[in-house]
Each structure stands twice: as C-alpha cells, then as structure tokens.
C-alpha cells in the first residue's frame, strides 16, 4: 500500500511536468493544425537556461533558495518564450496554410538544429545540478516498513503546475487574448476579417506554450538533477502522446493525458519492469485510440457529408 | 406502376435530443424519379445519409430490392458496402470530386471494384496480363461514353478541380453512374447552376431514367427541376412526411404551402411563391 | 529603411537568444559544473544575424523575381504528354548501372552510393504509404528494423541472404498489417503518433529482449550475400568462390560491387512496382482516398483494406531494405533504427516532392550522400542537415519536384 502511494506521488509529479509540455502541443495543434515537433527541444532549452540561471545567480551571490528559485523561474519563462517565438517566426510562419506535411518536416528539422546546436555550444556531457530543494514530509509512521515521502520539491512542482494551469485557463477563458485565440482556432479566416491580428495570436500561442515548457524544463532540472541535449526528445514524445491521449486540441485533455502518462509510467516502473515503461505508455495510447479515436476528452470528429 | 425499389419504413434518426427524421415512410420505384423537397433543416440530407450508410438510423428499416433479385437491408450495412453490394450511388450537396485527379481518373475510380477484381487484386495488373488490360480498356470506353454524354470528352485529362462548377456537377453524376447503380441519390444537383445548365441537367436526369432504367432519388430546392422531372414528390418538414404524390398534387397541398410559408390556410398564396412552386 | 529596421530587430532577438545559451558555457571540471562566460559571443551572434537578415531583406526583390521565373510551387498537373520524367529516370538508372565500371567507381564512392541507394529504396517504399496513400507514418524505421532483425536472427540458424530476403519483407509486412489494422481509421496525425509509438516500442523491445535480439550489443557476423551460391570470399572450403569461378584474382572490391548491384536491383524493383501500381485500380484508389475518403466510400471502395494494402506494400519494402542493410553491415544494433532514421526517410519523401520518384533520389543524395563527405564535421553536419530541412521547406513547401502526372490519358497526342 505504501509502495503504491509512493508511486502514485511520483506519478502525479511526473504527470504535472508532462501536462505542462502537452499544453504547448495541444494549443499549437488546435490553432494551426501542426505537430510542433521542436516543442520537446524547447523544453530542453528551458532546462539548460534554468541550469545556467542557477549558476549565474549563485555566482552573483544570491544565497536565499526561494529568491533564487523565483529568479530562475523568471529567466526560464522569459528566455524560453523568446525561443518559442523565434522558432515560429523563422521556421513555421511562412509555411502556414501550405501543404500539410511541410511544417512538420520543418519542425523536425528545427528539432535537429536545436538539439545539435545545444550539443555544440554546451557540450554533449550530462550536466548535473546538486539538489536545490531537499527534504519532504514523511507520510507514514516510522513503524512502517516502506516509508512514503512527499518531497518538498514534489509539492513545489505540483503546486506550481496547478497555479500555472489555473492562470492559463483564466487567460484562455477570460481575457481578450484568450478570446482571440479561441476565435482564431475556430476559424482563422473569419477571425482575420473581424480584425484579429492572427499573426500576433499565433505568436502568442507559441510564446505561452514555450513559457510553460520552460517551466517544465526548470522542473525537470530540479527533479532529475541532470540535463543533457537529448532530454527534449523523450519528454516531448511523452507529452505529445499525452496530448493525443487526452484529445489533441483539448486543454483539459492535455492535463488529463499528462497525468495519466505520468501515472502509467510510475506504476509500470514500480510494478512491472522499468525498461518497458515506454511500451506500456504507447500500448495504452493505442488501446485508448482504438476505442475513442478522438482521445479521452477530444471532440469526436463530425463527418460532414 | 413500377415495382418498388427502396422501401423506407418508420425511419427515425436522432442526434442526442434532436430528432432529424421522425417516423418517415416512403417508397421509391424503379424507373422513376422521386423528388424529396422541404424547407431547410427538414432532414432531407440526413435521410440521404441514412440511405447511403453514412449514418446508422436510430430506428426503422430501409429495404432495397433491385430488379435483378435479392433484398438488401440498408440500415444494417456499412457505407461502402451499400455502394458496392446494394449498388446505391450518390452525389453530394457540396461537390466531392477528387479535385487533383483527372476527369477520366475520377470515372475510373468509380469502377474500382470491377477493375480490382479484373486485376486479381493487383497481381494480374502488376504483370500487365491481357485480361486486366482488356478490363481497363472497357472501363476507359465506358468513361468515354459518359464523358460524351455530359459533354466533357475534351476535358478528360484535366484535373477535375479545374472544371467550371456546372461541369463538376455533371461529372459527379457521371461518376456515380459509373458504379452501375440501381438507385441514384442526387443531393441538390441543380444548386449553383444557371438556368441553362439547370435545363441541361433536367435532360440528363430524364435521359438516365430512360436509358438506365434505374430509380432516382432527388433532393432539390430548385422547384423548376423538381416539379418538371419528378414522377413522385415527397415533402418533408421537421423530419416528418407532410405530403406525397404527383407534383401536381403536392403543389396544391395546403400542408406544403403552410410549411413553406408558415401562412394560414385560407390566406391566398402570394404570387412570388406560387411562381416558385411552379404554378402558372 | 524598413529593411534596416527589420534587420536590427532580428539582431536584437538573436542577442536575446544567444545571451543564455552562447554567453555562458557549462564546462565540465573535476568539481562538477563550471560556469564559463563568453559574453563576447553574444554581440558576435547578433551581428551575424543582423548582417544576414539585412542581406536577405535587400536581396528580397531580386529573390522574388527569380522565384517567379522558377516553376510555380502550386500543385500542377501536367497536361502535356511530356515523357521527360521517363527519360531522366532511364538515364539515371543507366548511370547507376555503369557506375562501378567507370573510373569514379572506386571503393569509397561505391560504399557511399550503396548507402544512398538504401535510402532511395526506403524513400520509395515510404512514398507508397505517405505519398500515394497519404498515410503519415513516423515510425518507418521500425519496419526497416524488423526486416533487418528477421534476417539477422534467421541467419544464425543458417539461412542465407537470398533465402531471407523474401521472408524479411513478409515479416515486415505482417508487422505493418498488425499495426495498421487497429489504427488506420484514425485521422492522419493520430496515425503519426501511433506509428511513432510503435517505432519506439520496437526499439525498446530490441534493446531489452537480449536473449532474442542481442540487446544493445546487437547481432554480429551476419553472412554476406553470395553470387548465385558462390561466396564472395578469398577462399571457402567446399564451395567454389566467386573469383575462382571466374578465374580472376580475389579483391574485396568485388563484394562491394556485388552489394552495390544488389541494392540497385532492389531499389529498381521498388521503383518499378511503385510506378506500375500507381496506374492500377488500387493505386488510383489510394490517390482518391487521400483526396476524399467520404467520396470513396460512396463509390464502394473499402477504405480500410485499401489503406492496409498500401501499408503492407510499403512496409514490405522496408523489410527488404532492412535485410539488405543487415547483410551489408554484417552487424546490426537497435541504435541504427532510432527515430531520427524515420525522420530522415520521411524528410526524403517530403523534400523530394510527395509522390515524385525522381525527387526521392535527389533528396536522398542531398540529405544522405552529401553529408557523407563532411563526416569529420560531425556536429556541424547535423545542424546543417536540420537547417537544410527547414530551408528547403521554406523555399519549396511542396518539395523539390512537385506535381502529379495523370495515371492514364484519354486524349493521347493532342496535348493541351
């Protein structure tokens, strides 16, 4: 039981990170119908920026951990957003509305460029970071054979994710940017005719997606304590799977999908074999899609005859 | 009276709480054009989608009895099987050609199942065996005849999407006919046509009925088409049948007038509408 | 002036992006991470981007004019009866055929040409699925792997390359059917993620099922192909070797030439089958399904079985190519079948121009052949590779050679 509880906690933490990345996939897909293959690498960039920011801030003599965390968070948000914006501007904008596979190939190319660019400038070696947030709450008594711990770091990750999701939902549902975003998603041509600056809306979509991925990158850096140029691929693939599982284009779906993927991974690693956790994730995806072809919360595609 | 071809019994189609078709029964006969009219949202296209298997009806039965024997329970069949086995062909309200393929290719795709069998599921075709080459030549010849009938022989090698609108409508009908149907369902074939093209369409449909001896189901808003060429007209409103009969009978049916106008029965028919309904 | 302003903006953005990633370097040292500052690189990057952007902006009018003159990027359907593609194809095949006999056909070139031909074959195979049937597959390398491992495992039981070639294709096609059947009714992008996932599943299984696949170490000493039963070795007890039979001195180049011709043959077969099947009912049905599935159903075409046939055929070719890859390398491991492999093959198809057989060859030379010359610049090579993918797409979103030739003509002769 305790073991199960511990895996559950780990799974939810992991799921929070996947969910944050998945939002970027789902939003971009919803608005311009493309798979932003470079999104996982944007997360990787966010992780590197966080790591560098930690070291810079430490070098500047900031010793308070909460202050350092906030500063790093701001840096990660800001610089990763800039990367997200730039990638859209350079590699996707001109391909909008063109042949469907062109942006996908461009995105794969961009992903290769980002991965190898980072490898070139930062080196291929794994970069370690000493734990910043340590300790936690012991949820089980000392008498239990298997102690359950809810780490402070896990609490921070989960709370931060919940806060970001709440803010993000507010942004989409209540602000004029969110309205413009939803309108563009439904009918880009009409939105343009009504005076919405579609270019700006799409840019903002990428910026928001990248910002969330930047935070996810920070979380990955803290949670795993190591960063390398390749982490974006795997995390991106899982997050994309999460977006599809939840129903691509659906924001609650992305969060739910992320959570599920995190749980499957943690529980499978805990009870099955850790080597085959990716197989479990994809097997669940295929099973879900067989019975719900639009994902868990996706709107079923209406065939208009 | 011709033998019944399609019998619709108590057909009901619900989408959640919305009843698109409500207990509809009608009969379409061989060698007849059955017109289906009704205001927007009356359930005409939904009815077509049930007949051609794009929707599975909530309740009711659709029975097709082709002249060459057999009965097909359409309500229980998958869409492509209805076209393949029961031989019901259709056109679409918003033309659905294969725009990037040529006109001729569009017609050959319609003969897919026969050619597929002739190519022995591609094996004979891959080696260019004579039996396949002969079947393909026949298919091309059949296409050529249809193209001649709709006046598109010259455009055979152009992409279908590059044709003018009226020609695309005619091509879609020819494509449906290339499947050798026993029942042809036409969803607003005159939509977007100019008066001259509309007249040509009338001739084409009458010609198809004359030469192919098949049943036609016709959804149409253009009363000049429906009233002129239909042998039998069924009027739908809110998914239910409110009138049926010859064009002449339907034209004077008070229910029909009310459905179209929402007018009181004893109010005289405004001149504009009378003309629209084809009255002199 | 606007050009100048835009370039300044681009430079500023570049500075912003370069600040964290270029301005600081995470160096490794004995104590762990060492932060090194290279802030001087930031203005440098900004200046380069500024200059590049400015040049591009100033050149824009000329570029636009030039692009207008170039063939339009729109999908155009040739209405003429040009047989030019056919002649180019035959010329290319003939050139490939005599390459080993020419002075350029040395060991090095043949090796590289063989590699390019593997990708040409894979590109043609995937083109059946993506280009003709319009099914987006992101895990094609998995079927390539299945073919390679099928041969590698069977070879350990004593089967030869020529015996395993058809088996490899069949096994890969079987896997294609198994994956395809449950998921082909999904819409395009969902199919993409499922096939991507399948690719990962295969890789993970290959990596972890060590007793069967050799795990991360892979399988080695895979036999080489023989020439009509004659081994291509210096000597072979009990067999007449190739050089003994023809009474010529043994040379290792002979084996390379044989490998080259084997893959050339396989690739040509793939090409011929693709060209031929496009003109058959099933090929036209793929075309039609890609354009409008609903219309296809109304014409009595079974969408599932039609798509499955494309899937099976395309994956079978991946299996053949995998079998060849295994025999050429003599050693395979899961590393050779990662996602990047699938991405490269897909890129070859799309960059070449979907459905264009010649385009695939061009793209394979560009993406696989060209980088082979720059092996020493490994890291720059990959950046240039990714960058080229982006640039070619921006330049020609339809691919290098776009356009569709009708599969049949009614009015022969009188070309419009």
């Amino acid at each position: 039981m305790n073991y199960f509880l511990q895996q559950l906690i780990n799974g939810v933490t992991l799921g929070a990170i996947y969910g944050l990345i998945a939002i970027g996939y789902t939003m971009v897909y919803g608005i311009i119908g493309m798979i932003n293959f470079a999104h996982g690498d944007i997360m990787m960039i966010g992780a590197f920026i966080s790591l560098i920011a930690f070291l810079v801030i430490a070098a500047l003599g900031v010793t308070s951990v909460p202050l350092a965390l906030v500063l790093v968070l701001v840096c990660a948000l800001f610089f990763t957003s800039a990367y997200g914006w730039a990638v859209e501007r350079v590699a996707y904008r001109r391909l909008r509305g063109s042949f469907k596979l062109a942006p996908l190939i461009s995105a794969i190319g961009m992903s290769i460029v980002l991965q190898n660019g980072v490898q070139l400038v930062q080196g291929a070696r794994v970069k370690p970071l000493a734990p910043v947030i340590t300790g936690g709450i012991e949820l089980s008594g000392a008498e239990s054979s298997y102690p359950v711990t809810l780490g402070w770091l896990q609490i921070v990750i989960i709370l931060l994710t919940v806060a970001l999701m709440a803010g993000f939902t507010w942004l989409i549902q209540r602000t004029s940017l969110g309205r413009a975003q939803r309108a563009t998603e439904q009918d880009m041509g009409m939105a343009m005719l009504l005076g919405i600056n579609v270019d700006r809306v799409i840019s903002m979509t990428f910026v928001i997606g990248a910002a969330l991925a930047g935070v996810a990158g920070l979380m990955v850096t803290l949670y795993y304590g190591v960063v390398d140029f390749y982490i974006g691929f795997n995390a991106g693939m899982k997050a994309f799977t999460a977006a599809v599982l939840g129903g691509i284009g659906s924001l609650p779906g992305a969060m739910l999908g992320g959570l599920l993927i995190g749980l499957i991974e943690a529980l499978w690693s805990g009870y099955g074999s850790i080597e085959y956790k990716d197989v479990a994730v994809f097997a669940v995806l295929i099973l879900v899609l067989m019975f719900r072809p639009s994902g868990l919360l996706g709107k079923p595609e209406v065939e208009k005859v | 009276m011709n033998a019944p071809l399609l019998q619709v019994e108590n057909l009901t189609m619900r989408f959640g709480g919305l009843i698109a078709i409500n207990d509809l029964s009608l009969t379409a006969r061989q060698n007849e054009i059955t017109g289906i009219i009704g205001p927007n949202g009356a359930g005409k296209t939904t009815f077509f989608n049930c007949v051609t298997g794009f929707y599975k009806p909530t309740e009711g039965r659709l029975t097709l009895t082709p002249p060459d024997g057999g009965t097909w329970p359409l309500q229980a069949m998958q869409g492509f099987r209805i076209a393949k086995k029961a031989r019901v062909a259709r056109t679409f309200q918003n033309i659905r050609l294969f725009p990037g393929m040529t006109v001729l290719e569009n017609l050959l795709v319609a003969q897919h199942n026969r050619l597929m069998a002739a190519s022995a599921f591609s094996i004979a075709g891959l080696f260019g065996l004579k039996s396949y080459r002969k079947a393909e030549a026949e298919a091309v010849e059949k296409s050529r005849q249809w193209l001649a009938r709709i006046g598109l022989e010259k455009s055979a090698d152009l992409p279908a999407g590059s044709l003018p609108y009226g020609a695309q409508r005619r091509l879609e009908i020819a494509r449906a006919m290339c499947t050798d149907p026993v029942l042809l369902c036409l969803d607003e074939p005159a939509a977007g046509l100019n008066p001259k093209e509309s007249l040509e369409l009338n001739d084409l449909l009458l010609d198809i009925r004359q030469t192919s001896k098949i049943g036609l189901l016709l959804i149409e808003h253009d009363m000049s088409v429906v009233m002129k060429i239909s042998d039998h007209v069924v009027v739908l409103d809110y998914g239910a049948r409110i009138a049926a009969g010859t064009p002449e009978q339907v034209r004077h049916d008070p229910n029909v007038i009310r459905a179209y106008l929402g007018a009181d029965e004893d109010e005289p028919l405004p001149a504009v509408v009378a003309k629209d309904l084809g009255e002199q | 002036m606007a050009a100048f302003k835009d370039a300044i903006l681009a430079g500023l953005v570049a500075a912003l992006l370069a600040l964290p990633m270029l301005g600081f370097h995470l160096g490794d040292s004995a104590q762990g991470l060492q932060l090194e500052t290279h802030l001087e690189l930031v203005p440098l990057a900004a200046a380069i981007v500024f200059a590049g952007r400015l040049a591009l902006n100033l050149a824009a009018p000329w570029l636009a004019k030039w692009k207008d003159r170039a063939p339009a990027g729109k999908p155009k359907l040739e209405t003429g009866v040009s047989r030019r593609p056919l002649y180019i194809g035959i010329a290319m095949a003939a050139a490939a055929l005599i390459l080993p006999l020419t002075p350029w056909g040395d060991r090095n070139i043949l090796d590289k040409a063989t590699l390019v031909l593997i990708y040409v074959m894979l590109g043609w195979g995937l083109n059946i699925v993506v280009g003709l049937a319009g099914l987006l597959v992101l895990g094609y390398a998995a079927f390539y792997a299945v073919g390679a491992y099928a041969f590698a495992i069977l070879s350990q039981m004593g089967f030869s390359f020529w015996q395993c070639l058809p088996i490899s294709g069949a096994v890969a096609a079987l896997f294609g059917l198994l994956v395809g059947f449950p998921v082909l009714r999904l819409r395009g992008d969902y199919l993409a993620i499922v096939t991507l996932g399948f690719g990962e599943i295969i890789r993970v299984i290959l990596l972890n099922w060590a007793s069967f696949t050799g795990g991360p170490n892979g399988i080695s000493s895979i036999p080489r192909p023989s020439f009509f039963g004659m081994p291509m070795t210096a000597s072979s007890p009990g067999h007449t070797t190739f050089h003994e039979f023809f009474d010529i001195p043994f040379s290792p180049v002979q084996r390379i030439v044989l490998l080259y011709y084997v893959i050339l043959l396989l690739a040509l077969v793939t090409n011929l089958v693709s060209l031929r099947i496009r003109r058959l009912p099933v090929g036209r049905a793929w075309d039609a399904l890609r354009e409008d599935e609903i219309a296809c159903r109304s014409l009595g075409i079974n969408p599932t079985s039609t798509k499955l046939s494309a899937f099976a055929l395309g994956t079978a070719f991946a299996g053949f190519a995998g079998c060849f890859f295994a025999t050429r390398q003599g050693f395979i491991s899961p590393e050779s079948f990662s996602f990047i492999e699938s991405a490269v093959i897909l890129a070859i198809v799309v960059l070449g121009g979907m459905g264009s057989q010649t385009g695939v060859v061009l793209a394979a030379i560009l993406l696989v052949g060209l980088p082979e010359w720059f092996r020493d610049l490994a890291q720059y090579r990959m950046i240039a590779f990714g960058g080229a993918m982006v640039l070619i797409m921006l330049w020609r979103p339809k691919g290098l050679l776009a356009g569709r030739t009708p599969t049949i003509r009614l009015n022969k002769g009188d070309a419009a």
Side-chain angles (χ1 to χ4, degrees):
Chain A
M1 187 59 209
N2 281 356
Y3 184 65
F4 177 74
L5 209 60
Q6 184 68 63
Q7 295 305 330
L8 214 58
I9 293 171
N10 297 346
V12 170
T13 314
L14 202 56
I17 299 177
Y18 287 150
L20 281 181
I21 310 173
I23 287 182
Y25 279 109
T26 242
M27 266 175 45
V28 167
Y29 188 88
I31 202 159
I32 49 176
M34 77 167 277
I35 302 172
N36 180 9
F37 227 92
H39 191 61
D41 300 293
I42 294 285
M43 188 283 288
M44 176 271 292
I45 299 253
F48 266 91
I49 289 173
S50 309
L51 189 54
I52 290 169
F54 265 120
L55 294 183
V56 171
I57 286 164
L60 291 177
V62 177
T63 47
S64 150
V65 170
L67 179 63
L69 273 178
V70 170
L71 288 175
V72 169
L73 183 67
V74 171
C75 283
L77 271 171
F78 178 72
F79 286 106
T80 318
S81 306
Y83 270 91
W85 181 87
V87 165
E88 191 269 340
R89 187 70 191 76
V90 170
Y92 307 154
R93 181 169 293 183
R94 281 188 50 186
L95 291 176
R96 205 181 296 151
S98 86
F99 166 62
K100 203 172 168 316
L101 284 183
L104 177 72
I105 297 296
S106 188
I108 293 176
M110 209 62 221
S111 161
I112 294 173
V113 169
L114 289 177
Q115 261 180 42
N116 290 280
V118 169
Q119 186 190 2
L120 186 69
V121 298
Q122 297 292 349
R125 295 269 293 272
V126 170
K127 318 284 178 198
L129 176 73
V132 179
I133 306 176
T134 49
I137 308 170
E138 291 279 331
L139 291 181
S140 59
E143 73 278 5
S144 93
S145 56
Y146 190 92
V148 182
T149 346
L150 177 58
W152 291 118
L153 178 58
Q154 290 177 316
I155 296 176
V156 168
I157 288 177
I158 293 167
L159 286 183
L160 189 56
T161 304
V162 170
L164 281 172
M165 298 234 173
F168 176 72
T169 311
W170 174 81
L171 182 81
I172 291 296
Q173 291 190 339
R174 292 273 185 270
T175 65
S176 69
L177 174 68
R179 243 186 330 268
Q181 208 264 352
R182 279 179 292 148
T184 309
E185 185 178 329
Q186 302 244 319
D187 189 337
M188 194 180 291
M190 197 63 212
M192 217 180 292
L193 288 177
L194 291 175
I196 292 174
N197 184 344
V198 169
D199 278 349
R200 215 190 106 229
V201 169
I202 292 174
S203 278
M204 281 315 288
T205 304
F206 275 86
V207 164
I208 294 168
L212 294 179
V215 179
L218 168 63
M219 290 173 176
V220 167
T221 311
L222 291 172
Y223 196 55
Y224 291 104
V226 287
V227 170
D228 68 58
F229 71 98
Y230 199 63
I231 56 168
F233 176 69
N234 215 310
M237 200 167 60
K238 296 285 176 50
F240 181 40
T241 307
V244 172
L245 188 65
I248 200 153
S250 153
L251 296 174
M255 303 176 201
L256 177 69
L259 202 58
L260 279 177
I261 299 273
L263 285 173
I264 295 166
E265 238 188 272
L267 292 175
W268 192 271
S269 308
Y271 290 96
S273 63
I274 194 156
E275 293 88 11
Y276 286 102
K277 68 179 168 39
D278 291 2
V279 174
V281 167
F282 287 117
V284 168
L285 174 78
I286 293 173
L287 277 179
V288 168
L289 287 183
M290 272 170 73
F291 295 104
R292 285 194 66 95
S294 306
L296 291 171
L297 300 183
K299 279 179 240 103
E301 211 180 347
V302 187
E303 241 177 19
K304 195 85 185 118
V305 180
Chain B
M1 202 170 230
N2 290 304
L5 178 62
L6 174 72
Q7 274 178 302
V8 180
E9 293 160 276
N10 312 100
L11 179 72
T12 299
M13 182 77 214
R14 277 189 222 104
F15 297 103
L18 179 85
I19 301 179
I21 296 179
N22 193 3
D23 200 27
L24 174 69
S25 298
L26 62 88
T27 305
R29 292 170 190 282
Q30 283 165 33
N31 204 11
E32 267 186 22
I33 297 179
T34 307
I36 297 179
I37 62 171
N40 282 331
K44 303 183 297 286
T45 298
T46 307
F47 169 62
F48 261 31
N49 286 341
C50 289
V51 174
T52 51
F54 284 92
Y55 295 156
K56 204 168 156 36
T58 321
E59 279 166 38
R61 280 194 302 182
L62 298 147
T63 316
L64 187 87
T65 38
D68 49 2
T71 47
W72 300 98
L74 301 187
Q75 77 279 358
M77 292 170 74
Q78 269 179 290
F80 80 90
R81 268 185 223 288
I82 290 182
K84 185 177 175 177
K85 301 283 183 194
R87 290 191 288 150
V88 176
R90 74 172 290 175
T91 66
F92 297 87
Q93 203 170 331
N94 324 308
I95 305 173
R96 279 182 176 273
L97 290 168
F98 307 116
M101 302 176 79
T102 66
V103 169
L104 176 63
E105 284 172 325
N106 266 273
L107 298 186
L108 288 178
V109 170
Q111 303 174 59
H112 175 79
N113 285 315
R114 190 154 28 82
L115 284 173
M116 200 63 190
S119 75
F121 300 95
S122 306
I123 314 279
L126 214 49
F127 295 105
L129 295 191
K130 205 173 168 193
S131 61
Y132 170 70
R133 288 211 307 270
K134 187 159 158 279
E136 195 187 50
E138 280 167 15
V140 171
E141 183 49 37
K142 181 173 181 175
S143 308
R144 183 202 295 279
Q145 282 166 10
W146 270 104
L147 289 176
R149 256 171 111 167
I150 60 173
L152 286 178
E153 231 178 339
K154 283 266 184 304
S155 315
D157 299 325
L158 296 179
S162 71
L163 295 181
Y165 195 80
Q168 292 197 18
R169 284 264 178 228
R170 294 203 300 278
L171 178 60
E172 207 191 11
I173 295 172
R175 187 182 68 178
M177 286 305 296
C178 276
T179 63
D180 284 328
V182 293
L183 176 67
L184 175 63
C185 305
L186 300 157
D187 197 344
E188 296 200 22
L193 300 188
N194 64 33
K196 182 171 162 282
E197 289 172 324
S198 225
L199 284 179
E200 285 170 5
L201 178 77
N202 283 358
D203 292 341
L204 177 65
L205 296 184
L206 288 172
D207 186 44
I208 287 175
R209 186 190 61 173
Q210 193 76 43
T211 52
S212 304
K213 308 277 182 219
I214 63 169
L216 283 91
L217 271 180
L218 174 71
I219 293 181
E220 195 44 78
H221 272 304
D222 186 337
M223 291 299 164
S224 69
V225 175
V226 183
M227 292 300 171
K228 228 175 268 170
I229 66 171
S230 296
D231 300 292
H232 187 77
V233 175
V234 177
V235 190
L236 300 186
D237 193 22
Y238 293 108
R241 191 178 95 171
I242 57 168
T246 64
E248 199 56 34
Q249 288 166 335
V250 166
R251 186 175 297 160
H252 297 292
D253 193 308
N255 282 332
V256 179
I257 296 165
R258 197 176 328 122
Y260 268 84
L261 295 171
D264 283 340
E265 272 166 70
D266 38 37
E267 243 176 69
L269 214 54
V272 169
V273 182
K275 184 165 163 280
D276 198 31
L277 283 171
E279 250 182 15
Q280 295 307 311
Chain C
M1 199 54 219
F4 200 68
K5 235 188 208 163
D6 179 72
I8 289 184
L9 207 68
L12 287 178
V13 171
L16 191 67
L17 298 183
L19 178 62
M21 297 305 276
L22 265 181
F24 298 95
H25 178 78
L26 297 167
D28 306 300
S29 73
Q31 297 86 27
L33 279 190
Q34 201 67 47
L35 191 69
E36 300 159 14
T37 37
H38 298 284
L39 288 175
E40 73 284 356
L41 291 178
V42 176
L44 185 69
I48 292 174
V49 169
F50 166 76
R53 182 79 194 180
L54 190 64
L56 204 64
N57 282 342
L58 293 177
W62 284 281
L63 282 178
K65 224 184 277 169
W66 180 67
K67 202 171 175 176
D68 276 346
R69 235 181 295 140
K74 275 195 197 160
K76 60 173 196 290
L77 204 109
E78 288 180 34
T79 44
V81 282
S82 155
R83 298 185 75 76
R84 210 183 50 191
L86 186 66
Y87 294 138
I88 294 178
I90 290 174
M92 278 164 62
L97 215 56
I98 57 163
L99 177 68
L101 311 174
T102 61
W104 302 287
D106 64 4
R107 192 184 170 135
N108 185 18
I109 294 273
L110 284 182
D111 245 351
K112 290 188 165 88
T114 305
L115 186 71
V116 170
L117 278 173
I118 293 179
Y119 283 90
V120 168
M121 177 171 178
L122 287 168
W124 280 336
L126 183 62
N127 195 20
I128 295 174
V129 187
V130 181
L132 296 185
L135 303 167
L136 181 50
V137 170
L138 281 181
Y140 197 59
F143 304 102
Y144 183 39
V146 167
Y149 271 87
F151 170 44
I153 290 164
L154 284 173
S155 76
Q156 293 177 324
M157 303 171 189
F159 289 92
S160 76
F161 169 75
W162 294 107
Q163 287 166 327
C164 289
L165 188 63
I167 302 175
S168 292
V171 173
L174 189 69
F175 271 77
L177 289 175
L178 281 178
V179 182
F181 190 69
V183 298
L184 276 181
R185 67 197 182 98
L186 298 177
R187 65 179 198 216
D189 305 303
Y190 283 43
L191 186 65
I193 180 70
V194 169
T195 50
L196 174 68
F198 174 72
E200 280 301 295
I201 290 179
I202 290 282
R203 207 179 51 86
V204 169
I205 291 175
L206 291 179
L207 211 49
N208 291 299
W209 193 3
S211 58
F212 190 56
T213 65
N217 299 328
I219 299 176
S220 52
S221 59
I222 299 167
R224 307 293 185 162
S226 60
F227 184 79
F228 292 101
M230 292 175 282
M232 306 288 287
T233 47
S235 67
S236 170
H239 291 284
T240 316
T241 65
F242 176 80
H243 73 99
E244 285 166 3
F245 183 83
F246 287 99
D247 200 22
I248 45 175
F250 172 75
S251 151
V253 177
Q254 289 159 3
R255 197 183 70 210
I256 289 167
V257 172
L258 176 70
L259 283 173
Y260 174 80
Y261 277 121
V262 169
I263 186 66
L264 184 62
L265 178 77
L266 286 174
L268 285 179
V269 167
T270 313
N271 184 29
L272 287 180
V273 169
S274 315
L275 286 176
R276 183 98 209 139
I277 207 149
R278 226 196 115 216
R279 287 156 202 276
L280 290 184
V282 69
R284 288 196 201 106
W286 291 337
D287 252 341
L289 265 178
R290 206 185 57 222
E291 296 216 328
D292 195 332
E293 182 169 338
I294 287 177
C296 278
R297 276 192 276 156
S298 84
L299 298 173
I301 294 173
N302 182 345
T304 315
S305 67
T306 309
K307 286 183 191 171
L308 266 181
S309 63
F311 222 71
L313 190 66
T315 51
F317 284 124
F320 294 138
C323 184
F324 175 80
F325 177 77
T327 199
R328 177 192 180 231
Q329 302 293 105
F331 159 77
I332 50 169
S333 73
E335 231 175 88
S336 311
F337 308 103
S338 61
F339 167 74
I340 194 80
E341 214 56 24
S342 300
V344 168
I345 304 166
L346 182 66
I348 286 174
V349 173
V350 178
L351 293 183
M354 296 250 293
S356 163
Q357 301 291 102
T358 324
V360 165
V361 179
L362 278 184
I365 293 173
L366 205 66
L367 285 189
V368 180
L370 212 54
E372 279 300 303
W373 301 105
F374 302 105
R375 273 234 166 255
D376 305 333
L377 307 164
Q379 284 185 341
Y380 296 98
R381 191 174 73 116
M382 281 313 282
I383 296 180
F385 176 80
M389 278 165 78
V390 176
L391 288 178
I392 295 178
M393 280 292 101
L394 291 178
W395 175 49
R396 297 195 77 127
K398 291 270 171 191
L400 295 169
L401 297 178
R404 177 181 184 277
T405 346
T407 57
I408 190 167
R409 286 172 203 281
L410 191 62
N411 306 319
K412 297 186 181 82
D414 57 70

